[in-house]
Structure formats: C-alpha cells, structure tokens
C-alpha cells in the first residue's frame, strides 16, 4: 500500500492546524474524521488534460477527504511493478492527501492475462479492472484465488458486455421516449451474481463498485446472509437522482446510469439496512469538450468529490432519511475498515452545516466540471481539512 506525502497548499504563517482545531472546537462548526473515498479517477499518468494528481487531491481536500483510492484505467495501466511506479512517483510528488492506488486485475485491463498481482500486492490497496467487467469466468476465478492468497480485495466493475448493445442510459422510460439506446439492469446484476458465486467458492474478499439497481442490492443482501465476504458501494447520484431527472446533456451521463425511482428506493433501503457498506463518488473527470456532446456522444462519468457530503447531507440527513452519524460512518469509518485504511493522527475536516449555497462547477478545484448537481441548493460548506496535521484546505472566507 502506498500513499503520498501530504503537502500544505497554503502559506499562511498566521494559521496553524493546532490553532485552527482549538478555534473550531470552540465554535459552532462540526468536526468530522477525514472522509475516505475508495473509488476515484485522477487520470494520471496518461490523461492529465482531464485531471491530475494535484488537482484531484485539491478537490478531494475541499470535499473533506484525507484518503482516496485511485482506479487503474490509466496509461500505462498499473498492471506491473514498473507501470505502477509511474503513478506512485506522481503521487509522492503531487498529492496533498493520502492516495492509495489500485492495481489492475488483468494486463491493460483487457480481461485476458492476469496482471502481476503478486508483484504489486504490497503497494496497492486492492485489484480492479474498473471501467471494464472481467468477462471470462475462469479469469475471474483465477484472480480471486490469487487475491485470496495475497489477502487483497477484488473490487469489481460489474458489466456483461454482451448485454450492453451500445446503450448510453438506463433502459427505461426516458430511453424509450427519446429513442436513446438503453443499458439494461441485467448487464450489472448478472455479473454480480456470477462473482458472488466465485467469491463464495474461493473465500476471496470481494467488493462491488457503484451498484445502481434493485437486483444488485438484493443479491448482495442475500450473499451477506449466506456468509460471503462481500461489500459494496454506491454513489451520491444514485441515492439522490433517477432517470426522471435526465436531460440530453453530458453531465447526466455516467456508467452505470441513473436508473428508475424503484431502483433508487432500493438503494436507499440497502444503505439503511447495511447491505450497502459505503458511499464512494466514482469521481470521473473529463474535458469540457468530451462532456459537451449530449447523452449519446459524451464520455461516461461525472465528478463528485466536492459535492458528495453537501448533497447527501442536504438530501438525506436534513430530510430525516439518514442520521448525520450514519452518513459520516459511510463516508469515513466503514470504507476505512473494509479496505484497511487507518485514520491518521490529526486528520479531520471541519464543516459549517448551516451554510447554504448553489452548486457552481466553475468554483470546483477539480479540472472536471460535469456534475448533475449543478445549480442544486445545498447545505454544508467545508471550512477546512487537515491531513496528518497539515492544513490542506482552508475556505477562502476564513481569515
């Protein structure tokens, strides 16, 4: 496992983390343990025009995160010690919070030859081919057996390619009404069903990325009851939005897609009963040009690090659906427990929960600006984030 050495982003000699903590403890602000996101895309090496380690970690710090796990769909893909080292060097040089990289399951994420799992194991948080489902049953079985021996998690992007049929949004009412190719829920849950069987057979620690439909929730619920070592995540957008919100704009296109109201209700139920262990953003920045081609032509992916807590606090906590303690657990302690990421000493985030404002992507520190929450009125403003005693974010209004 590897993490970057946090570097201060501010040069305010009059402000120290110790002094800030004393000030905030005596104020009406709320102090939480640093958040932990196990699913982000920082695009380096290979795609720095979308995001960099620097801009991504700045955005994360502004969102209250002190630890993030970066997915391996990079260039080069971290499928060997040599390729992984390129990412590790960037993290060590540029990150202002802790960054824990994933290693790929297969070489170049092509689903064919297994990557050097043994060589990378000590320097990665887990293994994933995120962005691609591993199509061959035998390949995933072999990966799970090797990950089990290494005591590493397999974190799966679950998608059956033969069921996609060129779809771009959920195969539901909006797709039919507008003549847009749809992505069926079965393309997600069918591979989860397969993987749960393989995880039961191997005893591998298995994690399901960004679940979006009711069938996935029920499969994982039953697997947990039967003793399978499985965890899962969903994203803020799947908990708050559904296909009824869609517009023909790139900021509404993500994979998996926003599904039906019934799916969203099932996800909320799964979050409340513990089936869904944690909330991860799947922060996936793209250039403005790549997101300006409508639903059919835009790249899949939206950003989320700077909006996750305010959106969830506003939509779930202030409405009485979820307690504030439960939200913080799902954004901090539960992902840490599952992935073995300790909360480092003096790592916390400070929030003004009464501050209301409209989400404005132009204010983001991330290079990506595409968010379905643009213009939403939210409550909860990050005032400061401290990582290992280093002030990594301070709201400009603080003097």
């Amino acid at each position: 496992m590897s993490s970057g050495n946090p570097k201060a982003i501010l040069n305010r000699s009059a402000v120290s983390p110790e002094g800030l903590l004393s000030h905030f403890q005596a104020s009406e602000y709320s102090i939480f343990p640093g958040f932990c996101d196990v699913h982000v895309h920082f695009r380096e090496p290979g795609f720095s025009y979308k995001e960099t380690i620097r801009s991504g970690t700045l955005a994360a710090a502004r969102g209250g995160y002190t630890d993030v796990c970066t997915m391996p769909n990079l260039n080069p893909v971290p499928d060997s010690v040599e390729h992984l080292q390129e990412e590790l060097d960037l993290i060590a040089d540029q990150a202002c919070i802790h960054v824990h990289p994933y290693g790929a399951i297969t070489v170049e994420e092509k689903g064919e030859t297994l990557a050097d799992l043994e060589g990378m194991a000590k320097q990665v948080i887990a293994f994933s081919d995120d962005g691609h489902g591993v199509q061959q049953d035998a390949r995933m079985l072999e990966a799970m057996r090797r990950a089990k021996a290494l005591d590493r998690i397999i974190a799966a992007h679950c998608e059956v390619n033969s069921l996609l049929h060129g779809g771009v949004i959920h195969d539901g009412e909006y797709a039919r009404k507008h003549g847009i190719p749809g992505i069926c829920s079965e393309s997600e849950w069918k591979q989860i069903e397969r993987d749960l069987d393989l995880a039961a057979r191997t005893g591998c620690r298995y994690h399901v990325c960004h679940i979006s439909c009711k069938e996935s929730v029920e499969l994982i619920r039953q697997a947990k009851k039967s003793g399978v070592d499985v965890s899962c995540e969903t994203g803020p957008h799947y908990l708050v939005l559904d296909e009824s919100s869609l517009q023909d704009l790139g900021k509404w296109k993500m994979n998996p897609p926003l599904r039906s109201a019934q799916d969203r209700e099932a996800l909320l139920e799964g979050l409340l009963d513990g089936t869904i262990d944690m909330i991860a953003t799947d922060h996936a920045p793209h250039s403005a040009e790549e997101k300006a081609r409508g639903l059919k032509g835009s790249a899949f992916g939206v950003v989320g690090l700077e909006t996750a807590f305010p959106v969830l606090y506003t939509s779930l906590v202030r409405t009485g659906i979820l307690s504030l303690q439960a939200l913080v657990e799902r954004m901090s302690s539960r992902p840490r427990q599952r992935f073995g990421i300790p909360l480092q000493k003096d790592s916390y985030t400070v929030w003004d929960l009464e501050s209301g404002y409209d989400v404005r992507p132009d204010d983001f520190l991330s290079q990506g600006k595409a968010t379905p929450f643009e213009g939403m009125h939210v409550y909860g403003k990050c005032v400061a984030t401290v990582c290992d005693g280093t002030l990594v974010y301070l709201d400009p209004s603080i003097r």
Side-chain angles (χ1 to χ4, degrees):
M1 189 186 308
S2 176
S3 58
N5 295 319
K7 302 177 180 64
I9 63 170
L10 303 166
N11 184 21
R12 302 185 186 183
S13 57
V15 181
S16 70
E18 295 80 7
L20 275 176
L21 182 58
S22 297
H23 169 73
F24 291 134
Q25 287 174 330
S27 73
E28 295 183 358
Y29 293 134
S30 297
I31 303 174
F32 306 125
F35 300 151
C36 177
D37 192 336
V38 301
H39 192 147
V40 304
H41 300 265
F42 282 172
R43 307 303 191 193
E44 274 195 317
F47 307 97
S48 57
Y49 71 94
K50 299 173 186 278
E51 188 82 288
T52 64
I53 297 294
R54 186 65 172 170
S55 63
T57 55
L58 291 176
R62 187 182 183 225
Y65 294 89
T66 56
D67 291 86
V68 295
C69 304
T70 49
M71 286 299 178
N73 48 344
L74 304 167
N75 186 17
V77 171
D79 52 15
S80 66
V81 174
E82 179 183 4
H83 290 164
L84 174 63
Q85 192 60 50
E86 293 191 37
E87 184 182 3
L88 292 174
D89 289 344
L90 286 165
I91 291 169
D93 184 58
Q94 298 295 323
C96 70
I97 63 169
H98 293 293
V99 177
H100 312 268
Y102 281 86
I105 296 173
T106 64
V107 174
E108 296 184 355
E109 290 193 316
K110 289 184 176 180
E112 298 171 359
T113 304
L114 288 188
D116 182 9
L117 308 189
E118 288 78 9
M120 296 186 292
K122 292 183 179 180
Q123 294 180 295
V124 299
I125 196 66
F127 297 108
S128 180
D129 268 8
D130 188 61
H132 307 276
V134 177
Q135 303 303 303
Q136 298 180 34
D137 297 2
R139 194 68 64 246
M140 183 57 100
L141 176 61
E142 184 184 0
M144 285 192 178
R145 283 175 173 162
R146 288 168 60 176
K148 167 67 174 177
L150 295 165
D151 192 27
R152 279 288 176 266
I153 288 173
I154 290 286
H157 173 117
C158 291
E159 194 168 47
V160 179
N161 290 350
S162 63
L163 296 176
L164 297 178
H165 306 301
V168 297
I169 60 172
H170 176 57
D171 186 19
E173 184 178 342
Y174 188 97
R176 291 189 289 271
K177 182 178 180 180
H178 295 85
I180 298 176
I183 301 173
C184 66
S185 297
E186 186 179 7
S187 65
E188 173 180 307
W189 66 258
K190 194 68 176 175
Q191 195 163 93
I192 293 175
E193 184 178 54
R194 179 205 68 179
D195 285 357
L196 289 171
D197 176 65
L198 298 178
R201 290 165 58 185
T202 62
C204 173
R205 290 194 292 153
Y206 176 61
H207 178 79
V208 191
C209 298
H210 47 47
I211 67 170
S212 68
C213 61
K214 58 183 183 291
E215 294 90 349
S216 298
V217 177
E218 186 59 24
L219 282 167
I220 294 166
R221 178 181 289 122
Q222 295 306 317
K224 287 189 171 189
K225 289 180 180 178
S226 69
V228 178
D229 191 352
V230 58
S231 58
C232 68
E233 69 191 50
T234 195
H237 36 291
Y238 304 118
L239 293 168
V240 174
L241 304 168
D242 57 54
E243 64 172 341
S244 66
S245 303
L246 286 173
Q247 302 173 45
D248 191 12
L249 298 169
K251 66 182 180 180
W252 293 95
K253 185 177 181 182
M254 68 285 290
N255 188 25
L258 296 175
R259 300 200 185 273
S260 70
Q262 292 74 28
D263 290 307
R264 183 175 66 83
E265 290 168 4
L267 291 168
L268 286 170
E269 182 180 350
L271 187 70
L272 292 172
D273 71 15
T275 300
I276 297 175
D277 303 87
M278 64 196 75
I279 299 169
T281 64
D282 191 10
H283 177 85
H286 295 286
S287 68
E289 180 183 359
E290 290 170 324
K291 295 298 288 182
R293 303 165 186 162
L295 290 172
K296 290 184 179 180
S298 293
F300 286 105
V302 295
V303 297
L305 284 168
E306 293 168 85
T307 57
F309 182 84
V311 163
L312 294 167
Y313 174 73
T314 302
S315 301
L316 302 185
V317 177
R318 287 176 64 95
T319 57
I321 296 173
L322 189 70
S323 71
L324 178 58
Q325 178 181 348
L327 176 59
V328 173
E329 287 175 352
R330 285 156 178 81
M331 293 184 68
S332 183
S333 60
R334 291 197 179 180
R336 292 181 185 281
Q337 290 165 3
R338 178 59 170 169
F339 282 78
I341 302 171
L343 178 66
Q344 300 296 334
K345 183 181 178 182
D346 297 327
S347 293
Y348 59 90
T349 181
V350 183
W351 289 78
D352 178 355
L353 296 181
E354 298 305 313
S355 179
Y357 57 96
D358 295 336
V359 174
R360 297 176 179 173
D362 286 346
D363 295 337
F364 289 172
L365 297 182
S366 170
Q367 291 176 198
K369 310 298 180 184
T371 170
F373 299 116
E374 182 176 5
M376 178 180 177
H377 191 74
V378 297
Y379 290 87
K381 183 178 184 181
C382 185
V383 176
T385 299
V386 173
C387 183
D388 292 357
T390 298
L391 182 66
V392 291
Y393 175 75
L394 185 66
D395 183 81
S397 65
I398 301 296
R399 294 290 184 266

